[in-house]
Amino acid sequence: MGRACVIIDYGMGNLQSVVNALRYLDVDPIVSSDPKLVRDADTLLLPGVGSFRKAMDELNASGLAEAIQHAVTVQHHKILGICLGQQLMAEFGTEDGGCNGLGLVPGVVDRISQPSGGQIKVPHVGFNRVSFEPESRLFYGFEGPVDCYFVHSYSLGVQARPGLAALCDYGAPFVAAYENDNLYCTQFHPEKSQTNGLRILSNFISA
Amino acid sequence: MLKKRIIFTLLFDNGSFMLSRNFRLQKVGNISWLQKNYNFSNVAFFIDELVVLDVSRGQRDLEAFLAALTEISTGCFAPIAAGGGVDSVVHAKQLLRAGADKVVLNSALFEQPHLVQEIASEFGQQCVVGSVDLKANGGGYDIMVNNGMRKLNMPPSEALAWHMRGDVGEIYLNCIDRDGTGQGYDLDILDILPTDWNLPVIIAGGVGNAKHFAAGLAEPRIDAVATAHLFNFVGNGLMNARRALVREGLHLAEWPDIRAVDLGRAG
């Protein structure tokens, strides 16, 4: 652990549960909306649920988007995007008419589509099976597929290779986790995935 | 494939956690009882999701509820939905800030549909759990609101169809007649759902043992089974029930016991 672990607060979602999970792992995070703290943090977490467009508006208006870019591309500090956080790290989201994301992860975030023939319920809610790449750092120490908790209506398509760390299938395959150098994100909620998620968070912290 | 869920529901009434039978409440213990005597932190490792409801009949003590919610969420690494008397976006936000991931709305679904839309637009559709209390009326069911005290004068399927337009993420169906009886779920309440219903369904009311869970989990229309009975699965009851259900081949998520997992305490 370096100097600071900052959970980025841009007004969306339950940040307390991420705090609780990190504290359980003996990490004491700072919850902050201050771009200056974000620019210098060694470890960033970008959680969140809700609308992609609204979140990007918040991140851009507050200067947090620029601070995140600086932290991860200039200073090379590590970041974990969770749920909406993963989506925001992508290039583009189609929700509410569409807008650009942070552009850290290749790919487009689109609404979960119905498979031909069958009918699936949207949002995708609950634990689902995640298959990971053997060299994944987030999934270090796991054997075989891992059950993780999802709650979302939009997802990142699998065109995001390389960097694809884990896949989940709901109607169609989508990116469950991505990791490329210092950039990490998960569509599922590690802080809500019982001991599976605590272990994934622990792997991120020690990565 | 998507796993089905076991949900534990805690009922809170002005400082105490309650047992409910046909919506009549009986006091069990406060938050310290829940943690120390009931060992809720351990129970929380064997559920897929937690629901915490303020079912106070009189004046609600929101501060006390938020304090209890905060304490419960600290040791619970599963999703939490909270509700009971939510009457504003600010109220919903307070629940989310206290550790909830979702907001449960009951009477508001039918009495303040604009509030439901506002909360969905502020926090997303996935953040709204629509809770619907049903009472048999000899042949069908009535939706009951205001803690089960007032009958809604609209056929359930019509009342629910309105919520398929995108403001509710899941529906929690509770059968008042079975509530707290331990007789098993009334699966017939599923028939009130419109035929093209496409949101996740949680069923509640009547669980007494693991077989009742199994019957609910085996029903294709059900995504999650809930129990609010504090004494049906005491000690390792929930852990044992969960393991038995997995052995029977029911699609439940699996994760290692907290005592067996090496978290490498990274700090």
Side-chain angles (χ1 to χ4, degrees):
Chain A
M1 267 298 286
R3 285 165 302 165
C5 173
V6 172
I7 298 173
I8 303 166
D9 182 2
Y10 54 103
M12 296 180 79
N14 171 8
L15 305 178
Q16 194 54 43
S17 57
V18 182
V19 174
N20 292 339
L22 289 172
R23 286 202 181 134
Y24 195 84
L25 299 170
D26 290 341
V27 176
D28 198 16
I30 300 162
V31 176
S32 177
S33 54
D34 180 356
K36 286 199 289 290
L37 271 181
V38 169
R39 280 170 76 94
D40 292 328
D42 283 353
T43 302
L44 288 171
L45 287 104
L46 181 66
V49 293
S51 155
F52 185 101
R53 193 189 184 100
K54 201 165 161 183
M56 277 315 299
D57 287 347
E58 282 295 326
L59 289 175
N60 285 322
S62 58
L64 284 167
E66 191 278 329
I68 293 168
Q69 295 284 3
H70 181 86
V72 304
T73 59
V74 179
Q75 308 219 58
H76 226 65
H77 294 159
K78 67 181 173 184
I79 185 169
L80 175 65
I82 297 173
C83 192
L84 179 63
Q86 162 166 305
Q87 302 182 2
L88 296 172
M89 285 169 71
E91 290 171 301
F92 190 83
T94 61
E95 194 169 357
D96 293 337
C99 74
N100 287 327
L102 294 167
L104 300 169
V105 172
V108 172
V109 175
D110 203 357
R111 191 163 168 91
I112 296 170
S113 56
Q114 294 292 336
S116 54
Q119 204 209 18
I120 55 169
K121 294 176 179 180
V122 178
H124 174 215
V125 183
F127 281 82
N128 205 336
R129 177 159 280 209
V130 168
S131 310
F132 59 90
E133 295 293 328
E135 65 273 21
S136 163
R137 281 161 284 170
L138 289 177
F139 289 87
Y140 175 79
F142 285 96
E143 289 168 27
V146 183
D147 292 332
C148 297
Y149 183 82
F150 292 86
V151 51
H152 62 124
S153 303
Y154 285 76
S155 63
L156 178 60
V158 288
Q159 71 273 29
R161 294 169 193 274
L164 189 57
L167 277 180
C168 182
D169 197 312
Y170 191 66
F174 67 89
V175 177
Y178 173 94
E179 52 188 72
N180 185 6
D181 203 2
N182 58 327
L183 307 175
Y184 299 81
C185 50
T186 64
Q187 179 57 62
F188 57 86
H189 288 265
E191 79 284 11
K192 295 284 164 188
S193 297
Q194 295 283 19
T195 58
N196 289 343
L198 290 173
R199 194 161 174 186
I200 289 165
L201 277 176
S202 171
N203 284 342
F204 166 70
I205 293 298
S206 41
Chain B
M1 72 177 285
L2 182 60
K3 306 295 172 85
K4 297 205 174 188
R5 292 172 278 159
I6 294 179
I7 294 178
F8 201 88
T9 302
L10 289 171
L11 305 173
F12 184 87
D13 179 354
N14 287 311
S16 295
F17 292 91
M18 314 296 284
L19 276 184
S20 170
R21 188 179 173 108
N22 306 121
F23 278 33
R24 287 189 303 275
L25 300 175
Q26 185 192 335
K27 192 181 287 191
V28 179
N30 62 11
I31 181 82
S32 98
W33 172 86
L34 192 75
Q35 296 289 24
K36 293 198 183 83
N37 301 78
Y38 195 77
N39 195 6
F40 187 75
S41 295
N42 181 54
V43 172
F45 273 115
F46 299 99
I47 60 176
D48 297 282
E49 199 151 340
L50 177 67
V51 172
V52 191
L53 299 176
D54 184 351
V55 293
S56 304
R57 297 296 195 252
Q59 185 71 32
R60 286 188 167 88
D61 183 347
L62 182 59
E63 289 306 313
F65 183 64
L66 293 174
L69 183 58
T70 302
E71 186 166 342
I72 290 165
S73 65
T74 303
C76 178
F77 306 107
I80 299 173
V86 176
D87 57 8
S88 66
V89 173
V90 172
H91 189 159
K93 191 168 226 162
Q94 285 175 304
L95 297 176
L96 299 176
R97 287 269 162 183
D101 303 280
K102 309 177 192 180
V103 176
V104 181
L105 299 174
N106 182 296
S107 304
L109 291 178
F110 312 106
E111 293 178 341
Q112 296 169 274
H114 289 291
L115 174 63
V116 183
Q117 284 174 334
E118 270 180 63
I119 292 174
S121 106
E122 185 76 20
F123 309 110
Q125 174 191 7
Q126 84 296 327
C127 193
V128 179
V129 179
S131 156
V132 177
D133 297 323
L134 296 156
K135 199 171 170 51
N137 63 8
Y141 296 89
D142 292 314
I143 291 178
M144 305 296 290
V145 292
N146 308 120
N147 285 322
M149 288 184 294
R150 191 172 70 78
K151 187 173 100 176
L152 191 74
N153 287 316
M154 191 192 282
S157 59
E158 197 179 311
L160 291 179
W162 200 84
H163 286 292
M164 290 175 64
R165 298 180 198 170
D167 53 356
V168 170
E170 298 175 74
I171 194 100
Y172 182 108
L173 298 178
N174 192 8
C175 179
I176 295 175
D177 310 280
R178 294 292 175 94
D179 175 54
T181 62
Q183 295 168 350
Y185 293 119
D186 178 0
L187 298 177
D188 291 341
I189 62 173
L190 297 166
D191 295 337
I192 66 145
L193 294 172
T195 49
D196 54 347
W197 186 258
N198 62 358
L199 296 172
V201 175
I202 303 159
I203 192 165
V207 160
N209 56 50
K211 284 197 174 65
H212 295 149
F213 275 142
L217 292 166
E219 159 64 48
R221 288 175 291 178
I222 291 177
D223 298 277
V225 293
T227 178
H229 202 298
L230 284 163
F231 295 125
N232 280 339
F233 300 95
V234 288
N236 288 324
L238 210 51
M239 178 185 83
N240 295 335
R242 190 174 185 96
R243 287 179 180 166
L245 293 166
V246 169
R247 275 198 302 275
E248 282 175 39
L250 288 155
H251 289 288
L252 292 171
E254 295 178 71
W255 53 82
D257 194 306
I258 187 66
R259 289 160 292 199
V261 66
D262 173 22
L263 293 171
R265 296 291 170 127

